[in-house]
Structure formats: structure tokens, C-alpha cells
Amino acid sequence: ISPRGGIGEDLPTEIKEFLQEMAASVTELVKSGKGVEALAMIDEQELEADQKVYLSNQLDAPTRSALKKAKGI
């Protein structure tokens, strides 16, 4: 069981679909070496905490790692 398991699963379907599409866009940006732009795109959405967790769960580990580096963590 992951510590974030289930968080965001109760979001409305249209929100989940939006976040899944956003995750795909973020992944493409990161693969193109545009981690800072990907972070800006996420920040622009002003997501709620559970939406951020759900989005993060849609990203693969290398993408999450690249976002942390872009954030300077």
C-alpha cells in the first residue's frame, strides 16, 4: 500500500481526465528538457492538494524526479 494510495480517486471523472491529460503534457515537457515549463504549467492551474497528489500519481518516477530538480529540491 502506497502512502498516497486512494487520494484523489474520489475526484469527479472530468477532473481526473483533465489531470491525466495534464500528466501526459508534463511528461512530454520533461522529456524535452523543459522541466521548469512543466512546473509553471502545473502552478498555473492552482490545483487543490488532492488534485496535486492525483496528478503526481499519474507521473512516472523519472518525471517526478526531474520536476523536483527543476524546483530546486
XYZ file of all heavy atoms in Angstrom:
549
model
N 0.855 -1.182 0.000
C 0.000 0.000 0.000
C 0.893 1.235 0.000
O 1.783 1.354 0.832
C -0.919 0.028 1.246
C -1.838 -1.187 1.221
C -1.713 1.308 1.283
C -2.681 -1.324 2.468
N 0.651 2.115 -0.967
C 1.447 3.336 -1.021
C 0.871 4.346 -0.034
O -0.320 4.328 0.247
C 1.457 3.909 -2.440
O 0.194 4.429 -2.757
N 1.707 5.249 0.474
C 1.215 6.223 1.439
C 0.152 7.149 0.863
O -0.659 7.693 1.584
C 2.464 7.005 1.847
C 3.478 6.717 0.806
C 3.126 5.390 0.210
N 0.158 7.320 -0.465
C -0.815 8.212 -1.086
C -1.969 7.431 -1.704
O -2.781 7.987 -2.408
C -0.135 9.030 -2.180
C 0.954 9.925 -1.626
C 1.557 10.745 -2.702
N 2.301 9.907 -3.644
C 3.181 10.360 -4.505
N 3.436 11.634 -4.574
N 3.808 9.557 -5.326
N -2.004 6.154 -1.470
C -2.999 5.312 -2.119
C -4.417 5.816 -1.925
O -4.849 6.075 -0.812
N -5.122 5.971 -3.027
C -6.519 6.341 -2.961
C -6.795 7.830 -2.919
O -7.914 8.237 -3.187
N -5.804 8.647 -2.610
C -6.048 10.091 -2.559
C -6.330 10.581 -3.974
O -5.586 10.293 -4.897
C -4.857 10.855 -1.950
C -4.691 10.467 -0.485
C -5.058 12.363 -2.081
C -3.533 11.108 0.210
N -7.423 11.288 -4.119
C -7.784 11.825 -5.414
C -8.681 10.906 -6.224
O -9.258 11.316 -7.216
N -8.805 9.659 -5.798
C -9.635 8.718 -6.545
C -11.108 9.112 -6.514
O -11.879 8.697 -7.371
C -9.461 7.293 -6.014
C -8.090 6.692 -6.295
C -7.740 6.638 -7.781
O -8.621 6.355 -8.606
O -6.575 6.882 -8.111
N -11.500 9.917 -5.533
C -12.900 10.336 -5.427
C -13.180 11.647 -6.179
O -14.281 12.183 -6.107
C -13.295 10.480 -3.958
C -12.413 11.474 -3.196
O -11.355 11.863 -3.726
O -12.782 11.837 -2.079
N -12.191 12.140 -6.912
C -12.405 13.350 -7.701
C -13.399 13.060 -8.829
O -13.491 11.927 -9.298
C -11.075 13.821 -8.321
C -10.029 14.371 -7.356
C -8.691 14.528 -8.058
C -10.476 15.694 -6.780
N -14.109 14.092 -9.283
C -15.025 13.882 -10.414
C -14.263 13.379 -11.647
O -13.104 13.746 -11.856
C -15.596 15.285 -10.669
C -15.375 16.039 -9.400
C -14.142 15.456 -8.775
N -14.923 12.577 -12.458
C -14.293 11.977 -13.628
C -13.651 13.014 -14.540
O -12.534 12.823 -15.016
C -15.317 11.146 -14.415
O -15.845 10.157 -13.538
C -14.698 10.468 -15.613
N -14.347 14.141 -14.763
C -13.791 15.136 -15.690
C -12.516 15.764 -15.138
O -11.607 16.099 -15.888
C -14.818 16.215 -16.054
C -15.350 17.043 -14.893
C -16.585 16.466 -14.219
O -16.952 15.300 -14.476
O -17.198 17.177 -13.406
N -12.422 15.889 -13.822
C -11.187 16.416 -13.203
C -10.064 15.392 -13.378
O -8.935 15.752 -13.732
C -11.392 16.699 -11.695
C -12.507 17.710 -11.475
C -10.093 17.139 -11.032
C -12.129 19.153 -11.495
N -10.370 14.121 -13.137
C -9.347 13.081 -13.299
C -8.865 13.016 -14.743
O -7.657 12.896 -14.986
C -9.872 11.711 -12.845
C -10.092 11.643 -11.335
C -10.174 10.245 -10.812
C -11.475 9.582 -11.104
N -11.646 8.328 -10.360
N -9.788 13.120 -15.694
C -9.392 13.083 -17.109
C -8.499 14.275 -17.439
O -7.497 14.132 -18.143
C -10.623 13.066 -18.011
C -11.351 11.736 -17.972
C -12.681 11.759 -18.716
O -13.101 12.827 -19.205
O -13.303 10.677 -18.787
N -8.847 15.454 -16.920
C -8.026 16.649 -17.130
C -6.625 16.437 -16.553
O -5.619 16.739 -17.207
C -8.695 17.867 -16.476
C -7.803 19.070 -16.418
C -7.553 19.826 -17.551
C -7.196 19.452 -15.222
C -6.720 20.936 -17.499
C -6.361 20.554 -15.166
C -6.126 21.298 -16.316
N -6.559 15.893 -15.343
C -5.258 15.683 -14.693
C -4.439 14.625 -15.421
O -3.210 14.729 -15.501
C -5.459 15.314 -13.223
C -6.028 16.441 -12.346
C -6.376 15.925 -10.964
C -5.058 17.609 -12.255
N -5.104 13.610 -15.971
C -4.392 12.586 -16.742
C -3.803 13.189 -18.013
O -2.650 12.897 -18.372
C -5.323 11.415 -17.071
C -5.673 10.590 -15.843
C -6.888 9.693 -16.043
O -7.488 9.651 -17.101
N -7.261 8.979 -14.989
N -4.580 14.039 -18.684
C -4.068 14.719 -19.879
C -2.921 15.652 -19.512
O -1.922 15.751 -20.232
C -5.182 15.508 -20.564
C -6.226 14.635 -21.223
C -7.411 15.424 -21.754
O -7.298 16.659 -21.918
O -8.455 14.795 -22.001
N -3.079 16.334 -18.380
C -2.029 17.239 -17.925
C -0.755 16.459 -17.610
O 0.348 16.907 -17.940
C -2.517 17.985 -16.686
C -1.649 19.125 -16.285
S -2.499 20.047 -15.008
C -1.139 20.952 -14.376
N -0.899 15.291 -17.008
C 0.264 14.450 -16.697
C 1.001 14.072 -17.976
O 2.239 14.074 -18.013
C -0.173 13.195 -15.937
N 0.249 13.752 -19.024
C 0.874 13.417 -20.307
C 1.649 14.614 -20.856
O 2.780 14.469 -21.343
C -0.181 12.948 -21.303
N 1.062 15.809 -20.752
C 1.735 17.027 -21.227
C 2.982 17.314 -20.411
O 4.032 17.667 -20.961
C 0.779 18.223 -21.143
O -0.334 18.024 -21.968
N 2.872 17.160 -19.093
C 4.014 17.393 -18.205
C 5.143 16.416 -18.551
O 6.313 16.810 -18.658
C 3.593 17.253 -16.721
C 4.803 17.153 -15.808
C 2.708 18.426 -16.320
N 4.800 15.167 -18.772
C 5.803 14.148 -19.105
C 6.509 14.509 -20.404
O 7.743 14.408 -20.497
C 5.138 12.758 -19.211
O 4.540 12.448 -17.948
C 6.156 11.685 -19.549
N 5.751 14.946 -21.407
C 6.352 15.330 -22.690
C 7.291 16.520 -22.517
O 8.378 16.543 -23.097
C 5.267 15.650 -23.722
C 4.547 14.429 -24.245
C 5.482 13.391 -24.845
O 6.355 13.754 -25.671
O 5.370 12.208 -24.471
N 6.867 17.520 -21.739
C 7.724 18.683 -21.499
C 9.025 18.261 -20.824
O 10.104 18.705 -21.209
C 6.999 19.720 -20.639
C 5.982 20.603 -21.353
C 5.179 21.418 -20.343
C 6.662 21.535 -22.344
N 8.915 17.411 -19.809
C 10.108 16.963 -19.080
C 11.036 16.190 -20.012
O 12.255 16.388 -20.001
C 9.703 16.125 -17.849
C 10.902 15.405 -17.255
C 9.049 17.018 -16.795
N 10.459 15.320 -20.845
C 11.291 14.552 -21.796
C 12.006 15.475 -22.777
O 13.065 15.145 -23.285
C 10.425 13.552 -22.571
C 10.037 12.349 -21.757
C 9.217 11.367 -22.576
C 8.804 10.174 -21.733
N 7.914 9.271 -22.477
N 11.412 16.647 -23.033
C 12.014 17.630 -23.940
C 12.990 18.542 -23.202
O 13.473 19.519 -23.774
C 10.914 18.486 -24.580
O 10.012 17.687 -25.292
N 13.226 18.262 -21.929
C 14.153 19.066 -21.150
C 13.552 20.372 -20.647
O 14.272 21.318 -20.356
N 12.219 20.415 -20.574
C 11.540 21.643 -20.161
C 10.845 21.464 -18.814
O 9.658 21.744 -18.668
C 10.529 22.048 -21.236
C 11.177 22.353 -22.577
C 10.164 22.753 -23.614
C 10.851 23.089 -24.928
N 9.883 23.355 -25.995
N 11.593 21.018 -17.833
C 11.035 20.799 -16.503
C 10.496 22.059 -15.862
O 9.465 22.040 -15.200
N 11.187 23.186 -16.070
C 10.744 24.456 -15.486
C 9.395 24.865 -16.080
O 8.488 25.303 -15.357
C 11.812 25.559 -15.704
C 11.288 26.915 -15.261
C 13.092 25.205 -14.959
N 9.255 24.673 -17.402
C 7.983 24.992 -18.060
C 6.873 24.079 -17.553
O 5.736 24.508 -17.369
C 8.113 24.862 -19.584
C 8.967 25.944 -20.215
C 10.444 25.607 -20.254
O 10.906 24.734 -19.489
O 11.156 26.249 -21.054
N 7.203 22.806 -17.333
C 6.214 21.846 -16.818
C 5.745 22.277 -15.429
O 4.542 22.248 -15.133
C 6.811 20.439 -16.774
N 6.684 22.694 -14.588
C 6.320 23.179 -13.252
C 5.418 24.405 -13.340
O 4.439 24.510 -12.611
C 7.580 23.559 -12.462
C 8.279 22.464 -11.692
C 9.533 23.015 -11.036
C 7.362 21.844 -10.665
N 5.743 25.309 -14.257
C 4.939 26.523 -14.420
C 3.518 26.156 -14.844
O 2.550 26.735 -14.347
C 5.585 27.448 -15.445
N 3.399 25.176 -15.733
C 2.078 24.759 -16.188
C 1.256 24.202 -15.021
O 0.071 24.508 -14.887
C 2.222 23.682 -17.278
C 0.918 23.295 -17.922
S 1.140 22.170 -19.306
C 1.292 20.622 -18.436
N 1.898 23.412 -14.171
C 1.208 22.848 -13.004
C 0.792 23.974 -12.054
O -0.351 24.022 -11.590
C 2.111 21.826 -12.278
C 2.336 20.606 -13.175
C 1.491 21.412 -10.941
C 3.425 19.661 -12.683
N 1.716 24.901 -11.791
C 1.432 26.005 -10.866
C 0.295 26.891 -11.360
O -0.507 27.383 -10.566
C 2.690 26.850 -10.634
C 3.729 26.128 -9.789
O 3.368 25.149 -9.102
O 4.901 26.550 -9.824
N 0.233 27.092 -12.679
C -0.811 27.950 -13.251
C -2.218 27.416 -12.961
O -3.176 28.180 -12.911
C -0.637 28.062 -14.767
C 0.492 28.963 -15.189
C 0.758 28.894 -16.683
O -0.062 28.324 -17.433
O 1.809 29.416 -17.098
N -2.332 26.102 -12.779
C -3.647 25.504 -12.573
C -4.183 25.711 -11.158
O -5.366 25.498 -10.907
C -3.599 23.995 -12.884
C -3.263 23.695 -14.323
C -4.202 24.352 -15.307
O -5.410 24.366 -15.104
N -3.649 24.912 -16.368
N -3.301 26.088 -10.234
C -3.697 26.303 -8.834
C -4.524 25.122 -8.319
O -5.643 25.271 -7.834
C -4.461 27.622 -8.693
C -3.621 28.827 -9.074
C -4.356 30.155 -8.934
O -5.539 30.157 -8.575
O -3.717 31.192 -9.172
N -3.935 23.942 -8.433
C -4.616 22.709 -8.043
C -4.774 22.611 -6.533
O -3.928 23.099 -5.777
C -3.827 21.497 -8.541
C -3.626 21.410 -10.058
C -2.708 20.245 -10.381
C -4.941 21.264 -10.777
N -5.828 21.953 -6.113
C -6.018 21.654 -4.694
C -5.096 20.500 -4.326
O -4.598 19.780 -5.194
C -7.479 21.284 -4.444
C -8.420 22.445 -4.714
C -9.884 22.063 -4.626
O -10.203 20.940 -4.159
O -10.722 22.875 -5.041
N -4.890 20.294 -3.030
C -3.933 19.295 -2.558
C -4.216 17.895 -3.113
O -3.301 17.219 -3.593
C -3.909 19.262 -1.036
N -5.475 17.459 -3.063
C -5.772 16.109 -3.546
C -5.601 16.008 -5.061
O -5.224 14.961 -5.584
C -7.171 15.643 -3.117
C -8.293 16.567 -3.554
O -8.004 17.722 -3.931
O -9.454 16.138 -3.517
N -5.814 17.123 -5.768
C -5.597 17.121 -7.212
C -4.107 17.011 -7.527
O -3.713 16.303 -8.452
C -6.176 18.388 -7.842
C -7.690 18.451 -7.747
C -8.247 19.789 -8.183
O -7.548 20.796 -8.219
N -9.535 19.797 -8.506
N -3.266 17.683 -6.726
C -1.820 17.587 -6.925
C -1.344 16.154 -6.681
O -0.490 15.649 -7.408
C -1.086 18.548 -5.984
C -1.175 19.986 -6.415
C -0.384 20.883 -5.489
C -0.532 22.331 -5.888
N 0.171 23.240 -4.992
N -1.881 15.522 -5.647
C -1.493 14.140 -5.343
C -1.911 13.224 -6.485
O -1.132 12.384 -6.935
C -2.101 13.662 -4.000
C -1.880 12.168 -3.802
C -1.504 14.445 -2.842
N -3.133 13.403 -6.970
C -3.616 12.574 -8.075
C -2.734 12.779 -9.307
O -2.329 11.815 -9.958
C -5.079 12.890 -8.396
C -5.664 11.963 -9.431
C -6.180 10.719 -9.061
C -5.680 12.301 -10.775
C -6.699 9.845 -10.005
C -6.192 11.432 -11.726
C -6.701 10.209 -11.333
O -7.206 9.345 -12.266
N -2.408 14.034 -9.613
C -1.529 14.329 -10.744
C -0.175 13.653 -10.562
O 0.329 12.999 -11.472
C -1.351 15.837 -10.903
C -0.376 16.281 -11.991
C -0.855 15.846 -13.370
C -0.163 17.779 -11.953
N 0.396 13.792 -9.390
C 1.688 13.180 -9.108
C 1.644 11.665 -9.303
O 2.581 11.068 -9.823
C 2.126 13.512 -7.678
O 3.345 12.880 -7.388
N 0.529 11.067 -8.914
C 0.384 9.613 -9.075
C 0.300 9.200 -10.540
O 0.534 8.030 -10.860
C -0.854 9.109 -8.320
C -0.656 9.117 -6.820
O 0.467 9.147 -6.328
N -1.745 9.111 -6.082
N -0.034 10.132 -11.422
C -0.116 9.826 -12.855
C 1.253 9.924 -13.533
O 1.419 9.478 -14.658
C -1.081 10.792 -13.566
C -2.476 10.837 -12.991
C -3.123 9.481 -12.890
O -3.210 8.751 -13.872
N -3.565 9.126 -11.702
N 2.216 10.516 -12.842
C 3.548 10.711 -13.419
C 4.464 9.547 -13.062
O 4.375 8.993 -11.971
C 4.157 12.011 -12.894
C 3.354 13.289 -13.161
C 3.983 14.459 -12.428
C 3.258 13.567 -14.653
N 5.380 9.220 -13.977
C 6.344 8.166 -13.661
C 7.471 8.753 -12.804
O 7.623 9.969 -12.690
C 6.871 7.490 -14.933
C 7.557 8.456 -15.893
O 7.908 9.580 -15.475
O 7.751 8.083 -17.058
N 8.234 7.871 -12.200
C 9.283 8.297 -11.263
C 10.307 9.233 -11.906
O 10.683 10.240 -11.295
C 9.960 7.084 -10.631
N 10.792 8.954 -13.116
C 11.769 9.884 -13.716
C 11.195 11.294 -13.922
O 11.904 12.281 -13.750
C 12.113 9.240 -15.067
C 11.779 7.791 -14.898
C 10.626 7.751 -13.936
N 9.924 11.372 -14.264
C 9.299 12.682 -14.455
C 9.190 13.417 -13.130
O 9.527 14.607 -13.025
C 7.905 12.535 -15.104
O 8.059 11.865 -16.364
C 7.247 13.884 -15.319
N 8.740 12.720 -12.085
C 8.650 13.352 -10.757
C 10.027 13.819 -10.292
O 10.173 14.908 -9.746
C 8.048 12.385 -9.740
C 6.556 12.185 -9.916
C 5.910 11.508 -8.719
N 6.521 10.238 -8.385
C 6.100 9.050 -8.829
N 5.043 8.976 -9.624
N 6.706 7.947 -8.473
N 11.049 13.014 -10.538
C 12.407 13.365 -10.145
C 12.876 14.620 -10.889
O 13.470 15.525 -10.290
C 13.342 12.190 -10.436
O 14.664 12.515 -10.117
N 12.605 14.671 -12.182
C 13.005 15.842 -12.983
C 12.286 17.096 -12.499
O 12.879 18.185 -12.481
C 12.708 15.584 -14.450
N 11.010 16.967 -12.094
C 10.284 18.123 -11.587
C 10.890 18.611 -10.272
O 10.994 19.818 -10.035
C 8.800 17.789 -11.402
C 7.994 17.606 -12.685
C 6.594 17.127 -12.365
C 7.942 18.892 -13.492
N 11.303 17.664 -9.424
C 11.935 18.075 -8.166
C 13.229 18.819 -8.436
O 13.535 19.828 -7.792
C 12.216 16.838 -7.290
C 10.978 16.292 -6.620
C 11.318 15.123 -5.730
C 10.058 14.561 -5.099
N 10.327 13.328 -4.352
N 14.007 18.330 -9.413
C 15.257 19.020 -9.762
C 14.960 20.409 -10.299
O 15.648 21.371 -9.979
C 16.027 18.209 -10.810
C 16.718 16.995 -10.246
C 17.495 16.263 -11.320
C 18.089 14.988 -10.749
N 18.589 14.099 -11.790
N 13.931 20.525 -11.143
C 13.575 21.818 -11.713
C 13.128 22.789 -10.625
O 13.352 23.995 -10.727
C 12.470 21.644 -12.754
N 12.509 22.243 -9.576
C 12.023 23.061 -8.466
C 13.174 23.460 -7.554
O 13.042 24.349 -6.722
C 10.976 22.280 -7.684
C 10.055 23.119 -6.837
C 9.068 22.269 -6.086
C 7.835 22.014 -6.908
N 6.772 21.317 -6.153
N 14.287 22.745 -7.673
C 15.451 23.050 -6.847
C 15.443 22.324 -5.520
O 16.084 22.748 -4.569
N 14.709 21.206 -5.448
C 14.646 20.433 -4.201
C 15.727 19.365 -4.239
O 15.874 18.666 -5.198
C 13.253 19.792 -4.033
C 12.214 20.877 -3.864
C 13.232 18.839 -2.846
C 10.787 20.383 -3.779
